[in-house]
Amino acid sequence: MFAATADPAAIAAATESSRKKRDTDDSSIVGSDFEPWANKRGEILARYTTTEKLSINLFMGSEKGRAGTATSAMSEKVRTRLEELDDFEEGSQKELLNLTQQDYVNRIEELNQSLKDAWASDQKVKALKIVIQCSKLLSDTSVIQFYPSKFVLITDILDTFGKLVYERILSMCVGNRSTLPDHFSPENVNDTAKETCLNWFFKIASIRELIPRFYVEASILKCNKFLSKTGISECLPRLTCMIRGIGDPLVSVYARAYLCRVGMEVAPHLKESLNKNFFDFLLTFKQIHGDAVQNQLVLQGVELPSYLPLYSPAMDWIFQCISYHAPEVLLTEMMERCKKLGNNALLLNSVMSAFRAEFVATRCMDFIGMIKECDESGFPKHLLFRSLGLNLALADPPESDRLQILNEAWKVITKLKNPQDYINCAEVWVEYTCKHFTKREVNTVLADVIKHMTPDRAFEDSYPQLQSIIKKVIAHFHDFSVLFSVEKFLPFLDMFQKESVRVEVCKYIMEAFIKHQQEPTKDPVILNALLHICKTMHDSVNALTLEDEKRTLAHLINGFIKMVSFGRDFEQQLSFYVESRSMFCNLEPVLVHLIHSVNRLAMETRKVMKGNHSRKTAAFVRACVAYCFITIPSLVGIFTRLNLYLHSGQVALANQCLSQADAFFKAAISLIPEVPKMINIDGKMRPSESFLLEFLCNFFSTLLIVPDHPEHGVLFLVRELLNVIQDYTWEDNSDDKIRIYTCVLHLLSAMSQETYLYHIDKVDSNDSLYGGDSKFLAENNKLCETVMAQILEHLKTLVKDEALKRQSLLGLSFFNSILAHGDLRNNKLNQLSVNLWHLAQRHGCADTRTMVKTLEYIKKQSKQPGMNHLTELALRLPLQTRT
Amino acid sequence: MTPGFQLNEILSGVVVLSSKDSVQHQGVSLTMEGTVNLQLSAKSVGVFEAFYNSVKPIQIINSTIEMVKPGKFPSGKTEIPFEFPLHVKGNKVLYETYHGVFVNIQYTLRCDMRRSLLAKDLTKTCEFIVHSAPQRGKLTPSPVDFTITPETLQNVKERALLPKFLIRGHLNSTNCTITQPLTGELVVEHSDAAIRSIELQLVRVETCGCAEGYARDATEIQNIQIADGDVCRGLSVPIHMVFPRLFTCPTLETTNFKVEFEVNIVVLLHADHLITENFPLKLCRM
């Protein structure tokens, strides 16, 4: 009621202020330019693995004994009360030993699930216990090389928990009103919700151990929003300080990473705590080289160079959070502080991984200097160079330093003994080399990679890196003539000896070629190399190759063939097609493409000669035709073959190769009986008749202009085709045969014209051959009669109930054909058409509207000059009325 | 957890009565009771004495009001609203609710329905929390600096066997507001032996006066770890402990009993050396 009477100005002001508030709060949301944790997750899990056995100790058994000595003053009753929180399930003690890494991951996933289940079934205390137990696992540094992955897995659980608690309290705030706005203030939160929230914080504050207490509180950091506006900004520094109590430097740096992560999510504008975390970390940096850590490493048999990189994910994350939108001054200060610490390779690496690439690139020479000064025994140098290379791939160093940078870096890289270290580093630097230098330098780099990776077949373990090198090179060299003139490029490809990988690489190259090659080419270097590559792809096809794969390969090869052109040198072009055919005989789409290409070549020749072939070009065209004729039979798809025969026949005809055209058409005719009833189209079996119908209609229209062979009888191709149609086993209950016969009638009608509707230049069709000879016309009429007799015969068979409709339809279509193509002055034909009209209407199956329209058409036609006879016909065609 | 009530505040609510049939009764009354129960621990006196000799409870409040005169309730649900002021008689003090081991201060509200001879009387009891009145005036902070070395320790048999160490630190104040955490800092300046853990142990000390003198017992309430593992030397580790709500109350000193609190800083070294430094606290409510 009150709101309804409030004046609009006040409302406007309110929305205005809320908008302003949102604007100012925008700093509390991280932009999309901040690489989220989710991206890092998978990488860490993949990189930090172990083959050693792991253990999960839920509810520490040893804890009880220790607590006894420490807290002798504790009464039994109080102790049990306190341990209730520690205990997962009353009196249960789970210690899982000898887990493989996968088991461990599964167990953690189960715990995550049981956390959700417990929460869903309202067992909040159990849920809290699970989270506490899980975060306890983070204080355990046995199997240290797995620690980063463990951190990822367990913080997933913590994230789940934090979300559950937050949403639960949020839902309590809602009450019966609608949802709370995104930027709510604590005053809008009701007392019950506040009390529940407070209870959580009290419960967590009483967790005995430091590490679980820290992690669980950090996980629900966001809930401070319910209690007070300044909650988060007070909590973050406290939690940051709390981490100082964690003795193990690795555990503590990951705790910092987690806090930074939660902090960035909840309140990214609170930069102070991030910086504090960084500086605190620097203060404890010396611990890494302290006795406690060294002893532990000796115990676990881990070397320092493999221990130090364990810090990287956490440090990279912290550095990334700090450097996000940070002023240059801060970055410089941080870098200076890192410089001052001894043995700082680890820090240096994180600076390079996390800071803006431009920042690093402009100081590239400084970094190289620092890397050189680093202690050999500590953090591996190849990782440092790798990080530097990654920056240089993204941002460009000053022009003047570029060559020196490459020289300095490669001097170190080339000395790396371990092929894995080497290739990881080289892979990154290839990008830089390609970006700023010419093929000469790239060639040197490729040669160096080959030199390092060939001994002991080291390349076998590094295919992904080698592939990525190829990709980078291709991405920068779009001109393939330059690319293939890089001497070591093809030898480099030879390192891909595993077939699947080799084909994969060939595919990249071909894709790039198709994408970037603008002009057709005849460059022998490109042709040789690409033919070789295509051959490799083609040769990988075997009986087990999937259809999809074949299609992709064929598409790529076709793309290549399309881009090859020898210009006016048609013979060279044809011999290229011949060579291609022999190379790619296993891929049907490629052969089809080649046939089309050769046909096109023949037509090009005709165009160049303007239709008048010389002796030489005539011979060339015949060679093209012959190419097609011998290639088509090797194809499998029956309609592909039929259509290609027809198409090539047309091309032969157009080039005045009459006997060759005849051969194509004969071949097509003799192939028709082989057409199966069902064909496979995209993996589904479908009836083939409609395709056959389509093909035959197409064929008929070509046959009109094919001149009869002087040695064979009149219309011998048509007769032969009719025989084949007659003998073909048609589907029962199908009218397709009759439809075809109707089309044959159209053909015969067209053939009996004085001048045909269309011709091919320089080819005399039957109209000029026979000149309307009466014998020819008589033959033609005889054929017509036979065909019509067949049609009528079929109509007679359609008398069963369900066939009546078909009879009516066919009858009408036959009527229409006669109307369109027949001479109705002929009495017999006239009578036949009247009969057909009656047949169509006899059983009431005809569509009245069609009949009416047909009749109207006849009446309209009859008004045309010379069509008077139609008036009479119209009178004899009654319309049936519906009763 | 319901918020605590303070002196002269009014408890209000409803008594809900539901039954299938109508109920005949001799009147319904509401009683507010507050008592201090003292128990002697078996450590200070013998087991049997502890069992029998529990000191007579001290009554703080006992007042009754009549809610409904004798009559009949209709069938179904009947709600009877009430308001009950929290007053004490004479010069008695309203202590804060406290549940300890040997001292228990509890406040209850009891509803009785008297019925005729044949039927049993019906009773329902409900505890309510009382917070003592906030202290007037400002709390004067009383910071404490401390240094722990082998030399400062008492109770050591062979001082020479102890590893060398120097731990410095301070508590911001030993006068604490119960709703605010105990804070301070601690620095391990140096230690020969690796440190395993540093913990804060909150202990309550309950003293009961009785015929044979008095009994004093200390029990742990909570133990909070502030450092885990061999912490960095020279870097201050924060001391921070939230007082648990149910188990603490403002420090209490009366003629018959006392409830006091102390905090121990416990440092565990490798080789199982245990170093404890004790600080008495004074808790109050502001």
Side-chain angles (χ1 to χ4, degrees):
Chain A
M1 203 45 195
F2 181 76
T5 54
D7 69 339
I11 293 171
T15 50
E16 184 69 20
S17 74
S18 77
R19 187 177 311 133
K20 238 182 223 159
K21 189 168 172 267
R22 191 165 313 143
D23 286 348
T24 54
D25 276 3
D26 263 355
S27 63
S28 65
I29 296 162
V30 189
S32 57
D33 51 342
F34 185 76
E35 193 187 0
W37 173 253
N39 286 6
K40 310 265 177 187
R41 247 191 113 253
E43 213 177 291
I44 297 174
L45 286 177
R47 190 164 153 206
Y48 297 94
T49 56
T50 181
T51 49
E52 277 179 52
K53 296 293 181 194
L54 301 157
S55 64
I56 297 182
N57 196 347
L58 296 172
F59 176 50
M60 320 239 167
S62 57
E63 170 79 17
K64 245 181 191 163
R66 220 187 79 191
T69 58
T71 58
S72 47
M74 204 204 284
S75 82
E76 201 53 44
K77 186 176 157 199
V78 178
R79 187 183 298 159
T80 39
R81 195 181 299 149
L82 286 169
E83 276 172 3
E84 255 169 46
L85 270 185
D86 288 354
D87 208 333
F88 188 69
E89 227 145 334
E90 229 58 43
S92 83
Q93 175 177 336
K94 289 185 190 166
E95 187 167 9
L96 302 160
L97 295 168
N98 271 336
L99 297 172
T100 64
Q101 185 181 326
Q102 190 53 47
D103 290 343
Y104 193 92
V105 173
N106 295 343
R107 289 291 307 164
I108 297 284
E109 187 38 50
E110 276 170 36
L111 282 172
N112 203 353
Q113 194 51 50
S114 53
L115 165 67
K116 285 180 194 158
D117 292 346
W119 190 270
S121 58
D122 224 33
Q123 292 171 279
K124 304 280 152 57
V125 177
K126 187 178 169 193
L128 180 61
K129 280 178 193 167
I130 294 175
V131 179
I132 294 173
Q133 295 302 327
C134 288
S135 25
K136 262 189 199 176
L137 297 176
L138 285 174
S139 57
D140 173 19
T141 53
S142 57
V143 194
I144 205 156
Q145 55 273 50
F146 185 62
Y147 192 85
S149 292
K150 183 157 79 173
F151 170 79
V152 168
L153 295 171
I154 289 171
T155 50
D156 280 352
I157 296 186
L158 287 163
D159 288 346
T160 311
F161 177 73
K163 225 171 91 191
L164 289 172
V165 174
Y166 182 80
E167 277 165 8
R168 166 91 186 110
I169 299 175
L170 191 66
S171 74
M172 294 171 82
C173 298
V174 174
N176 7 356
R177 273 181 302 142
S178 56
T179 51
L180 219 53
D182 279 347
H183 297 285
F184 60 86
S185 68
E187 298 95 69
N188 301 344
V189 178
N190 63 36
D191 286 346
T192 336
K194 270 187 185 155
E195 196 57 34
T196 313
C197 188
L198 213 53
N199 264 335
W200 278 111
F201 281 111
F202 269 108
K203 239 175 238 168
I204 289 164
S206 70
I207 297 172
R208 207 191 83 78
E209 281 174 89
L210 174 67
I211 289 170
R213 193 169 67 244
F214 164 77
Y215 272 104
V216 179
E217 181 166 359
S219 76
I220 65 161
L221 183 69
K222 197 178 178 186
C223 294
N224 277 298
K225 277 167 58 177
F226 297 114
L227 296 176
S228 75
K229 269 192 172 144
T230 53
I232 293 176
S233 56
E234 285 160 11
C235 218
L236 268 175
R238 185 170 56 75
L239 287 170
T240 306
C241 279
M242 198 166 156
I243 298 174
R244 290 178 164 199
I246 300 175
D248 189 303
L250 187 68
V251 177
S252 104
V253 78
Y254 275 92
R256 290 188 194 286
Y258 185 65
L259 189 61
C260 289
R261 188 173 123 199
V262 179
M264 274 311 262
E265 255 165 51
V266 177
H269 54 285
L270 299 175
K271 294 270 184 196
E272 281 308 304
S273 297
L274 297 174
N275 297 349
K276 179 93 167 76
N277 265 306
F278 171 72
F279 294 127
D280 269 8
F281 171 71
L282 291 189
L283 289 176
T284 57
F285 186 70
K286 56 179 186 268
Q287 272 188 297
I288 294 176
H289 306 282
D291 290 342
V293 170
Q294 298 303 330
N295 292 342
Q296 198 185 9
L297 293 187
V298 171
L299 211 65
Q300 293 200 29
V302 176
E303 299 278 334
L304 200 58
S306 46
Y307 171 71
L308 290 179
L310 297 178
Y311 284 81
S312 291
M315 284 172 53
D316 290 357
W317 180 258
I318 298 172
F319 281 39
Q320 185 193 330
C321 291
I322 296 170
S323 62
Y324 178 67
H325 287 183
E328 193 95 357
V329 193
L330 177 71
L331 299 187
T332 321
E333 190 203 331
M334 286 174 64
M335 203 175 118
E336 289 306 317
R337 292 188 66 162
C338 293
K339 251 189 202 173
K340 277 182 202 140
L341 290 170
N343 220 342
N344 54 6
L346 178 58
L347 292 167
L348 207 54
N349 186 52
S350 289
V351 166
M352 288 190 287
S353 316
F355 282 14
R356 283 190 288 275
E358 296 78 18
F359 178 87
V360 179
T362 46
R363 293 165 180 70
C364 194
M365 287 310 289
D366 288 352
F367 276 100
I368 288 185
M370 283 187 275
I371 294 173
K372 276 181 171 167
E373 282 166 21
C374 287
D375 186 4
E376 279 294 339
S377 64
F379 195 84
K381 271 194 184 174
H382 64 93
L383 291 183
L384 291 170
F385 270 105
R386 189 183 138 85
S387 303
L388 185 62
L390 284 172
N391 281 299
L392 293 180
L394 294 173
D396 302 338
E399 184 91 44
S400 52
D401 291 347
R402 286 178 189 170
L403 186 61
Q404 202 189 346
I405 291 170
L406 182 65
N407 282 332
E408 292 286 351
W410 209 268
K411 226 190 284 170
V412 181
I413 297 169
T414 195
K415 278 186 199 134
L416 292 169
K417 293 267 166 17
N418 180 335
Q420 277 304 314
D421 296 347
Y422 171 82
I423 196 69
N424 281 329
C425 214
E427 176 208 344
V428 171
W429 279 85
V430 165
E431 172 98 36
Y432 174 73
T433 316
C434 292
K435 208 164 162 188
H436 300 296
F437 300 95
T438 60
K439 67 172 192 179
R440 207 185 111 232
E441 286 80 4
V442 174
N443 193 42
T444 318
V445 167
L446 291 183
D448 196 54
V449 174
I450 295 172
K451 201 177 96 199
H452 274 84
M453 300 311 287
T454 313
D456 299 330
R457 299 176 69 80
F459 50 77
E460 283 181 344
D461 301 321
S462 315
Y463 284 137
Q465 290 91 332
L466 293 174
Q467 270 173 293
S468 130
I469 292 181
I470 286 284
K471 271 190 195 165
K472 283 170 186 163
V473 172
I474 294 172
H476 285 91
F477 287 85
H478 291 170
D479 186 342
F480 275 71
S481 57
V482 176
L483 178 67
F484 288 121
S485 64
V486 174
E487 280 164 40
K488 291 293 177 185
F489 186 75
L490 288 179
F492 192 91
L493 289 187
D494 288 339
M495 284 200 290
F496 296 101
Q497 297 201 351
K498 190 176 164 195
E499 190 176 53
S500 60
V501 182
R502 195 167 64 220
V503 171
E504 207 54 37
V505 172
C506 291
K507 276 178 168 172
Y508 301 144
I509 299 176
M510 289 319 294
E511 271 160 19
F513 178 77
I514 291 170
K515 196 167 152 202
H516 298 300
Q517 185 73 21
Q518 307 289 342
E519 298 281 309
T521 179
K522 58 174 180 179
D523 183 336
V525 178
I526 297 184
L527 291 194
N528 261 329
L530 289 185
L531 269 178
H532 174 72
I533 287 166
C534 287
K535 177 117 179 70
T536 310
M537 296 201 295
H538 169 267
D539 290 351
S540 74
V541 174
N542 57 33
L544 296 176
T545 312
L546 296 173
E547 272 313 308
D548 261 355
E549 173 74 5
K550 282 196 208 165
R551 207 170 306 155
T552 318
L553 294 179
H555 168 75
L556 292 173
I557 296 177
N558 285 344
F560 161 61
I561 292 173
K562 235 181 266 174
M563 292 315 287
V564 176
S565 166
F566 292 89
R568 291 293 285 269
D569 191 349
F570 287 173
E571 286 184 8
Q572 181 75 39
Q573 187 84 36
L574 182 63
S575 68
F576 169 74
Y577 290 143
V578 171
E579 193 185 352
S580 302
R581 180 178 60 189
S582 66
M583 274 185 171
F584 308 127
C585 54
N586 283 332
L587 285 171
E588 185 150 324
V590 177
L591 291 181
V592 172
H593 182 77
L594 283 171
I595 293 168
H596 282 302
S597 303
V598 171
N599 276 332
R600 212 198 47 174
L601 194 60
M603 293 312 279
E604 287 281 311
T605 316
R606 181 176 180 274
K607 201 167 120 197
V608 170
M609 300 307 289
K610 301 201 173 62
N612 297 313
H613 282 299
S614 66
R615 239 175 72 203
K616 198 175 154 206
T617 59
F620 175 72
V621 165
R622 277 200 291 277
C624 291
V625 171
Y627 179 101
C628 297
F629 193 73
I630 56 169
T631 312
I632 295 173
S634 62
L635 301 177
V636 178
I638 187 117
F639 281 103
T640 319
R641 268 186 285 165
L642 284 174
N643 285 318
L644 281 174
Y645 273 135
L646 179 58
H647 187 75
S648 306
Q650 287 165 345
V651 171
L653 211 53
N655 284 294
Q656 298 121 47
C657 305
L658 297 185
S659 57
Q660 284 84 350
D662 274 351
F664 278 117
F665 298 137
K666 271 192 214 158
I669 292 170
S670 57
L671 194 57
I672 289 171
E674 287 173 31
V675 174
K677 288 246 169 60
M678 305 293 272
I679 53 167
N680 187 342
I681 292 166
D682 295 334
K684 279 185 192 155
M685 295 307 283
R686 292 181 193 284
S688 63
E689 281 186 11
S690 60
F691 293 95
L692 188 55
L693 198 66
E694 188 188 313
F695 168 73
L696 287 172
C697 290
N698 197 355
F699 199 2
F700 291 148
S701 39
T702 307
L703 282 181
L704 175 64
I705 46 165
V706 179
D708 277 347
H709 194 280
E711 285 164 22
H712 297 90
V714 176
L715 296 179
F716 95 104
L717 281 175
V718 179
R719 278 168 204 279
E720 220 164 289
L721 185 52
L722 278 173
N723 286 335
V724 169
I725 293 168
Q726 176 74 33
D727 294 340
Y728 187 78
T729 41
W730 295 91
E731 196 79 47
D732 296 333
N733 296 324
S734 142
D735 303 322
D736 285 334
K737 186 172 160 188
I738 301 311
R739 294 218 174 82
I740 290 168
Y741 280 146
T742 321
C743 295
V744 172
L745 281 183
H746 303 167
L747 168 67
L748 291 173
S749 155
M751 278 185 157
S752 59
Q753 305 299 314
E754 266 172 51
T755 326
Y756 292 171
L757 284 168
Y758 44 88
H759 290 97
I760 290 180
D761 192 27
K762 305 215 163 41
V763 174
D764 288 328
S765 295
N766 286 345
D767 54 346
S768 30
L769 278 186
Y770 296 107
D773 182 55
S774 57
K775 243 171 98 187
F776 172 72
L777 288 179
E779 279 290 333
N780 201 333
N781 278 340
K782 235 169 83 191
L783 265 179
C784 280
E785 273 166 33
T786 325
V787 172
M788 281 165 79
Q790 291 273 346
I791 296 176
L792 293 173
E793 193 67 30
H794 183 77
L795 281 176
K796 271 185 207 155
T797 61
L798 298 175
V799 286
K800 290 262 178 57
D801 302 334
E802 67 273 25
L804 287 174
K805 178 122 192 153
R806 278 161 57 202
Q807 189 190 41
S808 154
L809 271 176
L810 275 183
L812 188 65
S813 107
F814 191 22
F815 173 84
N816 282 335
S817 290
I818 294 175
L819 192 64
H821 299 277
D823 182 358
L824 284 169
R825 277 167 293 205
N826 181 320
N827 279 339
K828 261 166 85 185
L829 209 52
N830 203 315
Q831 185 54 45
L832 177 63
S833 58
V834 173
N835 289 349
L836 284 172
W837 180 266
H838 284 286
L839 181 71
Q841 295 198 86
R842 187 179 297 161
H843 298 285
C845 299
D847 174 31
T848 321
R849 266 176 58 201
T850 319
M851 301 307 276
V852 171
K853 278 208 170 141
T854 313
L855 198 58
E856 270 169 15
Y857 169 76
I858 296 170
K859 283 177 182 159
K860 209 170 121 197
Q861 283 292 308
S862 67
K863 296 201 177 83
Q864 303 266 340
M867 302 295 256
N868 282 333
H869 57 283
L870 287 183
T871 326
E872 192 201 335
L873 178 69
L875 291 174
R876 295 174 63 193
L877 303 178
L879 272 176
Q880 199 177 43
T881 44
R882 284 276 157 109
T883 46
Chain B
M1 188 159 169
T2 50
F5 293 97
Q6 293 184 354
L7 187 64
N8 297 337
E9 277 187 341
I10 292 169
L11 278 76
S12 61
V14 282
V15 173
V16 182
L17 194 134
S18 56
S19 76
K20 276 188 206 141
D21 307 308
S22 55
V23 186
Q24 196 83 43
H25 66 96
Q26 302 294 112
V28 177
S29 64
L30 211 52
T31 310
M32 183 186 276
E33 264 184 327
T35 50
V36 180
N37 280 297
L38 301 176
Q39 169 103 39
L40 294 180
S41 86
K43 260 199 293 181
S44 342
V45 290
V47 179
F48 291 102
E49 285 94 331
F51 191 71
Y52 293 113
N53 264 12
S54 54
V55 186
K56 217 177 87 191
I58 306 162
Q59 200 157 60
I60 307 166
I61 304 184
N62 191 359
S63 55
T64 306
I65 47 168
E66 188 74 21
M67 289 182 85
V68 186
K69 297 238 156 59
K72 198 176 179 183
F73 285 117
S75 65
K77 201 161 125 183
T78 314
E79 290 191 358
I80 313 156
F82 66 85
E83 284 193 340
F84 207 147
L86 185 55
H87 291 312
V88 285
K89 279 191 193 125
N91 56 357
K92 294 227 163 134
V93 187
L94 195 67
Y95 302 128
E96 181 153 333
T97 300
Y98 170 74
H99 296 282
V101 185
F102 305 107
V103 179
N104 252 307
I105 306 173
Q106 195 175 28
Y107 295 86
T108 55
L109 202 57
R110 194 177 75 231
C111 179
D112 293 300
M113 184 167 85
R114 288 180 302 282
R115 296 205 283 174
S116 58
L117 283 171
L118 290 171
K120 246 188 173 171
D121 290 356
L122 292 177
T123 301
K124 179 83 187 164
T125 314
C126 161
E127 181 178 1
F128 64 93
I129 308 289
V130 168
H131 282 173
S132 55
Q135 259 182 16
R136 259 180 272 275
K138 244 180 141 183
L139 189 75
T140 41
S142 49
V144 182
D145 289 327
F146 59 88
T147 306
I148 315 173
T149 60
E151 287 71 38
T152 62
L153 298 179
Q154 298 156 356
N155 258 337
V156 187
K157 279 172 196 155
E158 287 182 83
R159 210 170 287 268
L161 290 180
L162 273 179
K164 287 209 184 332
F165 58 83
L166 169 61
I167 298 169
R168 250 198 274 271
H170 67 269
L171 292 176
N172 289 336
S173 173
T174 51
N175 287 344
C176 299
T177 313
I178 201 163
T179 51
Q180 297 296 317
L182 170 76
T183 54
E185 262 184 355
L186 176 146
V187 186
V188 179
E189 295 288 1
H190 110 103
S191 164
D192 283 353
I195 290 166
R196 215 164 70 180
S197 175
I198 302 177
E199 289 156 19
L200 297 177
Q201 189 184 29
L202 182 64
V203 174
R204 69 184 148 210
V205 183
E206 295 165 320
T207 315
C208 304
C210 69
E212 296 94 46
Y214 67 93
R216 189 173 188 272
D217 291 284
T219 45
E220 180 188 281
I221 307 173
Q222 82 173 1
N223 191 329
I224 293 287
Q225 188 185 36
I226 57 165
D228 181 19
D230 201 16
V231 288
C232 189
R233 306 290 186 263
L235 190 67
S236 68
V237 173
I239 291 174
H240 182 97
M241 176 162 69
V242 176
F243 293 111
R245 288 197 284 192
L246 272 173
F247 305 110
T248 45
C249 68
T251 304
L252 204 57
E253 256 182 90
T254 70
T255 43
N256 299 332
F257 66 94
K258 282 199 238 176
V259 180
E260 292 159 310
F261 296 90
E262 293 173 354
V263 68
N264 290 328
I265 294 179
V266 183
V267 180
L268 269 151
L269 300 179
H270 267 281
D272 282 341
H273 289 290
L274 183 91
I275 306 155
T276 307
E277 189 79 11
N278 180 273
F279 302 91
L281 300 177
K282 187 164 166 48
L283 300 187
C284 59
R285 190 171 289 282
M286 292 301 284

